[in-house]
Structures are given as C-alpha cells and as structure tokens.
Amino acid sequence: MKRRAFLKTASLAGTATLISQKTPAQSPASGPKDSGTPAQGPVIISTWDFGRAVPETAFQTLMKGGTVIDAVERAVMIPEADPEVTTVGYGGYPDRNGKVTLDACIMNGNGDCGAVVFLENIMHPVSVARLVMEKTQHVVLAGEGALQFALENGFKKMNLLTPDAEAAYKEWLKTSDYKPPQASEHNHDTIGLLAMDGKGNMAGACTTSGMAWKIRGRVGDSPLIGAGLYVDNDVGGATATGIGEAVIKVAGSFLIVELMRNGKSPQEACRIALERIVHKQPRYAEKDGFVAGFVAMTKEGQIGAMSYRKGLRYSLCKDGVVSIVDADYMVK
Ligand code: GLY
C-alpha cells in the first residue's frame, strides 16, 4: 500500500544565494525518507502544498537570523493571507451562519505556546496566538476576547469572507447539507508547519478556518496544543491535518511526540497515531470522506508523514532543497 511518489523538487539556490554561502544540494531523485543522517541545517515540514513560498519563507527567515518562532509564524502567514486558499485565514469558507472563524496556535520547543480559537475578522490568527504566548500568562483566548486582545494590540479588523467564499456558501445554503468538502490536493485543509533551526531549536504553528459549514462555535484540533500541534526540543514535533474531531480524540500530535520519545521513528509514530484513531473509533474508517494525517520531525531533523487515506501531500525543506511529496497512506 505504501507509496512515496516524488512530485516536484526545487533547489533554493536561486532565492537563497544571498543568504546562504553553502552549495545548494541537488534535488533528490525520490521523496525524502523518514530516517537517516541528521540534517546539517534547518529543516521545515508542513502539511499540504501551499506553494514553495511557504517553506522558502521559513528557511530564509532562519538564514537571516530569525528565530524558529519567527520562521513558523511568517511561513503560515502566507496561506492565511491568500484569498485563494479556502481552508485557512482570509478566503476561508465560513460556518453555517456565513461567518469565517479562525483557529491557530504556535509553540516552541521549550513548552511556550499560545492559541486563539473562534477568532473573527483578523487575517493573521497565528500572530495573535504568538502575542498570547509572549504577552500574557494564558495559553488560549477565544472569540470576542481574542478579538478584543488583537485589536488592543494593533491588529486591524477586516471582512474575511471573500466574494468566492460567499458564493460557495450561498451554493451550500441551497441544500444546507452538513457534509464538509473532502480535503484533497485541491482542498488543502489546515496548514501545520514544523521548523528546526539546525541547532536543535524547534517550533511549530498550525492555522485554519476549520471545517466548512461547521456549526457556529465549533473549534477543531488545529489550535489545541497536543491535538493539532505539539513540539518538544528534547524529542521533536508533530502537527495534524484533516477532521479535527478525530485528531482531538487521540491527542494526536502529543501522542506522536511521546511515541518518538519512546524510540519510534517519526513515520512509525504517525502510523500508530492513525491506527489509534480508527482502532478506537472504527466508524471513521467506514466513512468515505474521512481525512486525517500528520507530519512529524525529530530534533535531529528526521521526518515522517502519513495520512489515513491517500491524498496528503507535504512540503519539505531540508538541506536547502524544497520538495513537495506525496505522504504514505494506510488506505486508498
Ligand atoms: N483540522 C482542521 C479542523 O478540523 O478544524
């Protein structure tokens, strides 16, 4: 069942010459493996293909002396601001009341973390989450309170519902069928991104507009530390995509980090977490549109990525090379 098809690689040489003196690595002939020699420099991995600019931005931020938190924040801000991306930030599909509500979190490898849930009218929830982490004694701010906190800290209110998303919503209203669109190559779902700076410092960020047409107030896995994201400099990190409820039920990202702590490779750990989901709740496996997947990385820069069903891609930047790779999967 396993398949790891290499799709596209591109050296960062063109864009990174000014910021890196090292000779860029050649594009690999096949998708990266989950184990092998520790990385020599930064490693960045994220769910789906949101474009080369995402891993490049994280890489360049690190090369210019930014922190891993800077790197993960700036990278995920790209899909947050992209009106074409219907599952993250601006342009995200709304809930069943026609409101775009955003969830995001950010975490470093020392256990510092911040999150916002059910945030409206702010384009960059990840940046608000970072401020929660850095400026407050709390971890999570929700809804109106999160919005108030954002406005007090200089964020500007804006309408996040693009004309395209509004048109899709109006189309959905014709049936009001509460069936979220299936995540696929063209419907990317959440971005979860992990970065390691080459000195063993790790961070992650996870941001989403959540499930389209969700019940108002619904919060998924993405902003929940331990579910959508977990990072520990002693071990590594993991982040999730797909149906958030399934991921929450097994504390998926925390589970993967703990499995790696106990000696599992990132790839094995991702697989075990997916097996746990369907073992505990077999109804997920019976559902045609069920999508769940994880990407993971050790503090040495070894990576893993796996989805329940075929279709998850991930973006990787390792040794200065960006790859977009098909993840392994359990079921076709
Ligand atoms: N994984 C995103 C969500 O379920 O909201």
Side-chain angles (χ1 to χ4, degrees), residues 300-329:
E300 291 86 14
Q302 296 169 346
I303 59 106
M306 193 159 196
S307 58
Y308 181 68
R309 281 188 202 287
K310 183 180 174 188
L312 176 64
R313 287 179 175 182
Y314 63 94
S315 306
L316 179 71
C317 178
K318 195 168 187 178
D319 296 328
V321 178
V322 171
S323 314
I324 309 296
V325 187
D326 277 350
D328 285 350
Y329 52 87

Side-chain angles (χ1 to χ4, degrees), residues 68-78 106 126-128 130 205:
V68 272
I69 282 288
D70 294 332
V72 299
E73 179 193 13
R74 285 178 202 166
V76 304
M77 285 171 75
I78 293 170
I106 194 163
V126 71
S127 302
V128 186
R130 178 175 179 172

Side-chain angles (χ1 to χ4, degrees), residues 4-196:
R4 193 188 284 279
F6 169 79
L7 293 173
K8 181 173 74 180
T9 63
S11 162
L12 282 175
T15 52
T17 336
L18 294 175
I19 52 172
S20 172
Q21 296 304 311
K22 76 175 185 173
T23 309
Q26 296 303 303
S27 298
S30 62
K33 299 283 184 276
D34 69 297
S35 58
T37 51
Q40 301 298 305
V43 181
I44 297 118
I45 187 167
S46 64
T47 55
W48 304 105
D49 174 11
F50 287 97
R52 283 171 46 104
V54 171
E56 282 178 3
T57 296
F59 180 78
Q60 291 179 8
T61 300
L62 292 171
M63 289 293 107
K64 289 174 181 164
T67 65
V68 272
I69 282 288
D70 294 332
V72 299
E73 179 193 13
R74 285 178 202 166
V76 304
M77 285 171 75
I78 293 170
E80 281 186 343
D82 187 342
E84 304 284 313
V85 174
T86 59
T87 52
V88 181
Y90 177 54
Y93 281 171
D95 64 17
R96 55 171 54 189
N97 292 23
K99 309 276 188 199
V100 179
T101 71
L102 305 180
D103 300 330
C105 72
I106 194 163
M107 183 172 196
N108 71 23
N110 300 321
D112 302 312
C113 50
V116 288
V117 304
F118 193 47
L119 177 63
E120 294 178 87
N121 298 115
I122 299 290
M123 186 189 270
H124 290 300
V126 71
S127 302
V128 186
R130 178 175 179 172
L131 276 191
V132 173
M133 173 177 82
E134 291 178 344
K135 282 197 158 187
T136 79
Q137 296 181 16
H138 308 307
V139 172
V140 187
L141 292 182
E144 208 164 304
L147 176 61
Q148 186 184 325
F149 174 78
L151 296 175
E152 283 167 3
N153 283 282
F155 288 84
K156 297 281 173 265
K157 228 173 154 173
M158 64 173 288
N159 176 20
L160 300 176
L161 187 66
T162 58
D164 282 355
E166 190 173 10
Y169 172 64
K170 285 185 174 151
E171 194 57 35
W172 173 77
L173 275 181
K174 288 179 186 165
T175 58
S176 297
D177 178 13
Y178 188 29
K179 189 176 172 209
Q182 185 173 337
S184 69
E185 182 190 338
H186 305 292
N187 178 26
H188 297 104
D189 198 78
T190 307
I191 182 161
L193 183 141
L194 305 167
M196 195 268 293

Side-chain angles (χ1 to χ4, degrees), residues 255-271:
L255 173 61
I256 288 170
V257 171
E258 294 311 298
L259 287 164
M260 295 193 300
R261 194 188 306 276
N262 287 297
K264 299 294 182 199
S265 74
Q267 191 67 17
E268 286 175 306
C270 290
R271 182 181 46 76

Side-chain angles (χ1 to χ4, degrees), residues 103 189-190 208 210-211 218-222 240-245:
D103 300 330
D189 198 78
T190 307
T208 188
M211 212 177 258
R218 181 262 186 192
V219 171
D221 61 314
S222 305
T241 183
I243 306 296
E245 284 74 5

